[in-house]
Amino acid sequence: MSQPSFNTTAAFQALHAHHAAIKDKSLRELFAADPSRFEQFSIKAAGLFLDYAKNNVTADTMAQLFALARERQLEARREAMFRGEKINTTEHRAVLHTALRAPSLPALEVDGQQVSVDVHAVLQRIQAFTTAIRSGEWLGHSGKPITDIVNIGIGGSDLGPKMVCQALRPYQHAHLNMHFVSNVDGDDLDAVLTQVDPQSTLFVIASKTFTTAETMMNAHSARNWFLRTGNDVQESDLRKHFVAVSTNLEGVTAFGIDPANMFPFWDWVGGRYSVWSSIGLSVALAIGFERFTEFLAGAHAMDTHFRNAPLEQNMPVILALLGVWYRNFFDYRSLSIAPYHQDLSNFPSYLQQLEMESNGKRVSLDGSMLDVASCPIIWGNVGTNGQHAYFQLLHQGSDITPVDFIATLTASNQLPGHQAALLANCFAQSEAFMRGKSAEEVRAEMQAKNVPTEEIDALLPHRTFPGNRPSNTILMTALTPASLGALIALYEHKVFVQGVIWDVNSFDQWGVELGKVLASNILGELTSTPAPLSHDSSTNGLIEMARAAL
Ligand code: F6P
């Protein structure tokens, strides 16, 4: 289902003209002209609230953006995904992470696979296993209960479980310590191994393919460490301490993990969409199966909203279209994510993979070059920390960067005063980005403090804030398994919608292959008998330096 070039569509042309007409209208002016912007440009769904009033849009802009989505066949594409059509065309795969969080009925069958039956059968295994570990019934080889879980994985097999476990910290089992190892840099694994006891540690080897170099190297090192440092350990003891989450039964068995200790998933689950699958095993271990099902239910609530709500009242659609508006009409090149919740500090890096690995593409589904830009750069950090680091650039720098503020109305902690201070900062920043501070306001303020005119004139440009910098604010009552599930699903569907508008395949990631192949060649050159090098002079030089040091 390929699309005509984006910039030849009627909606693009109309939006282009509309942009020229409204681009100089500031957010201040838009708010002054319409006191009902908050009511008009906000929406609730699946326990989340989105205020998008502080964006450079009018009702007309939004209407034209919805027309664009319709012209790009969004509704039909959305249905195709939920029905299990092979929309990942370069890998000939369906895209069914939504099925991982759907109830067992109505049943879904794709390509002869009883998808819902298989999903719920694996969930039952996750329930039994996590209950046994959490209750202390599952014992390590020497009879000790498990106290430490080490998730070894990278990309989607790390970022999701790590981010969710951290976000749901208050729900974590009091006697289970969660660790995440991803980097091939031995320091990552080493730092964890020095903290844990082999007799009471469970390694979860999480890899969809079970071939990813970093994960395999870490898994083998962990296995060797276990066999070396454990107390009178036999190979057969591995089954009490190593489990796998993968789609590759052969690879798991070859590694020496008991197939009974393998939690499967399927090729229609993309790595960056896999936290809902067995890849969420570490999450279920940390927060318990019941909470894990609440997490799935929160995402399902957002799926139901996304699938059924008209585009005009559809939160992921709105978030996506605003992103397209800025990327393709204002030429804003990055999006900053600012969670005002410490436990969401890994959320920006999670979104980096979700958005940039999905839509960081420059060819359309039919292989032709895109005629417009696609995914912006996603980056960010928690508030209020970011305020004291890079917010200067956001307020007064040369580029305009839209910001997604994410906050909870209530805190996960009980410390008096902190939550009000946190929210005050969050709301103040979006107000400051929107309003700015004009030269007249700065002058009046300085005059009131009797600053000499000469000094006012010198400082005025430095102390003026241009404002008119857009942001969204996403609020939820509290950070719970359900609200977190809904939040992640919101961004997943946003990414899907943008992929449809840009006409890219949001579900492959060929761009990571080249570096992997070259790294494997260079590894051979670093570790085997030195042979003449045939790279460019820079790469040859670097390899020679490493050869001398290793
Ligand atoms: O970086 C490429 C990638 O394939 C990601 O898409 C994926 O999440 C990650 O590597 C890990 O892959 P695997 O789960 O197969 O080890």
Side-chain angles (χ1 to χ4, degrees):
M1 234 203 285
S2 194
Q3 306 252 27
S5 294
F6 180 19
N7 59 10
T8 62
T9 60
F12 180 93
Q13 301 296 340
L15 277 161
H16 193 62
H18 175 69
H19 173 253
I22 78 150
K23 72 178 172 26
D24 296 324
K25 217 170 225 115
S26 72
L27 286 169
R28 262 202 208 203
E29 289 172 287
L30 291 174
F31 271 96
D34 182 0
S36 74
R37 276 186 77 81
F38 180 68
E39 290 71 36
Q40 208 185 335
F41 298 116
S42 58
I43 179 174
K44 281 187 193 157
L48 305 186
F49 176 81
L50 167 66
D51 167 22
Y52 61 103
K54 294 190 184 91
N55 281 291
N56 299 85
V57 293
T58 61
D60 196 16
T61 320
M62 294 311 298
Q64 294 195 38
L65 286 167
F66 294 126
L68 169 68
R70 292 207 165 83
E71 197 173 344
R72 299 303 264 177
Q73 317 286 332
L74 174 62
E75 286 135 316
R77 294 281 194 108
R78 179 180 62 184
E79 235 359 75
M81 175 175 74
F82 277 99
R83 271 204 311 267
E85 285 179 28
K86 293 194 172 145
I87 61 168
N88 176 355
T89 48
T90 58
E91 296 179 316
H92 315 292
R93 289 176 183 166
V95 172
L96 275 173
H97 45 278
T98 51
L100 297 166
R101 53 232 191 179
S104 53
L105 291 173
L108 177 67
E109 187 189 320
V110 172
D111 264 352
Q113 184 190 2
Q114 297 289 336
V115 167
S116 357
V117 173
D118 287 356
V119 164
H120 285 268
V122 173
L123 279 172
Q124 276 180 13
R125 287 192 50 210
I126 292 177
Q127 178 174 24
F129 177 71
T130 54
T131 306
I133 296 277
R134 289 168 57 86
S135 65
E137 180 196 329
W138 177 291
L139 300 174
H141 73 96
S142 62
K144 289 186 177 176
I146 299 298
T147 55
D148 290 84
I149 309 289
V150 182
N151 189 95
I152 296 183
I154 198 164
S157 301
D158 166 71
L159 291 164
K162 184 167 64 185
M163 182 274 286
V164 173
C165 284
Q166 189 207 19
L168 300 179
R169 185 184 50 88
Y171 296 87
Q172 273 192 31
H173 192 293
H175 305 302
L176 273 185
N177 306 310
M178 305 302 300
H179 310 270
F180 291 87
V181 173
S182 53
N183 199 337
V184 76
D185 181 343
D187 285 349
D188 200 9
L189 179 61
D190 193 50
V192 171
L193 295 182
T194 53
Q195 293 173 48
V196 299
D197 174 356
Q199 298 179 60
S200 57
T201 298
L202 178 81
F203 291 92
V204 176
I205 313 300
S207 175
K208 179 177 169 180
T209 55
F210 227 74
T211 58
T212 303
E214 293 91 332
T215 302
M216 289 302 103
M217 183 168 258
N218 279 323
H220 280 285
S221 295
R223 185 180 191 274
N224 294 342
W225 171 85
F226 174 77
L227 293 173
R228 202 176 58 241
T229 57
N231 186 16
D232 194 20
V233 178
Q234 316 295 318
E235 288 256 339
S236 58
D237 294 330
L238 286 168
R239 41 184 273 281
K240 287 291 180 190
H241 296 270
F242 280 77
V243 300
V245 176
S246 188
T247 59
N248 178 0
L249 176 60
E250 219 175 291
V252 168
T253 317
F255 179 85
I257 289 180
D258 187 344
N261 282 353
M262 169 175 158
F263 297 84
F265 60 113
W266 306 274
D267 70 359
W268 40 260
V269 182
R272 52 195 174 273
Y273 299 88
S274 64
V275 68
W276 324 98
S277 71
S278 306
I279 290 288
L281 187 71
S282 293
V283 175
L285 283 165
I287 66 172
F289 186 74
E290 206 177 312
R291 296 296 193 188
F292 186 64
T293 57
E294 290 169 19
F295 173 62
L296 299 182
H300 178 64
M302 184 56 77
D303 294 342
T304 308
H305 164 75
F306 175 57
R307 189 174 188 175
N308 300 319
L311 303 189
E312 286 75 4
Q313 286 134 44
N314 197 309
M315 194 184 281
V317 172
I318 291 169
L319 204 57
L321 292 174
L322 290 166
V324 169
W325 179 231
Y326 292 128
R327 187 72 190 96
N328 298 125
F329 297 91
F330 286 80
D331 195 27
Y332 296 161
R333 292 163 186 222
S334 83
L335 168 68
S336 188
I337 306 295
Y340 276 65
H341 197 304
Q342 188 62 31
D343 292 338
L344 283 174
S345 65
N346 284 324
F347 195 61
S349 26
Y350 175 81
L351 282 191
Q352 284 184 320
Q353 188 199 19
L354 178 62
E355 299 222 11
M356 296 202 279
E357 196 167 77
S358 296
N359 286 340
K361 315 280 164 70
R362 72 194 207 304
V363 290
S364 62
L365 283 173
D366 67 7
S368 57
M369 295 299 287
L370 294 185
D371 48 20
V372 294
S374 60
C375 192
I377 293 164
I378 307 293
W379 60 286
N381 195 1
V382 280
T384 58
N385 298 5
Q387 290 173 208
H388 297 273
Y390 52 78
F391 270 45
Q392 162 64 39
L393 177 147
L394 298 181
H395 283 291
Q396 291 186 312
S398 327
D399 289 316
I400 294 186
T401 301
V403 181
D404 281 0
F405 291 95
I406 302 168
T408 59
L409 292 172
T410 60
S412 301
N413 67 80
Q414 306 295 324
L415 296 172
H418 286 254
Q419 183 63 8
L422 182 70
L423 287 177
N425 273 278
C426 177
F427 302 159
Q429 290 298 325
S430 74
E431 185 181 22
F433 285 137
M434 183 277 281
R435 284 183 59 80
K437 198 170 183 183
S438 68
E440 296 71 46
E441 286 168 331
V442 176
R443 184 176 293 282
E445 196 180 273
M446 292 177 89
Q447 278 170 343
K449 288 182 183 155
N450 295 322
V451 179
T453 309
E454 246 177 44
E455 199 179 335
I456 294 180
D457 290 341
L459 287 180
L460 206 61
H462 301 279
R463 297 185 61 158
T464 300
F465 289 65
N468 196 33
R469 298 186 173 216
S471 65
N472 293 305
T473 300
I474 297 168
L475 294 179
M476 57 202 104
T477 307
L479 192 54
T480 64
S483 66
L484 181 65
L487 180 70
I488 301 170
L490 166 66
Y491 277 93
E492 285 179 348
H493 295 317
K494 170 207 159 178
V495 165
F496 172 81
V497 173
Q498 293 189 331
V500 170
I501 303 286
W502 290 320
D503 196 32
V504 297
N505 182 354
S506 304
F507 302 103
D508 62 11
Q509 57 283 319
W510 300 103
V512 296
E513 292 305 318
L514 177 60
K516 280 190 197 172
V517 172
L518 294 185
S520 142
N521 295 345
I522 294 176
L523 179 61
E525 290 168 337
L526 286 176
T527 50
S528 55
T529 333
L533 297 171
S534 55
H535 305 266
D536 56 276
S537 65
S538 160
T539 312
N540 284 347
L542 296 170
I543 294 173
E544 294 292 7
M545 287 179 73
R547 273 177 170 176
L550 283 170

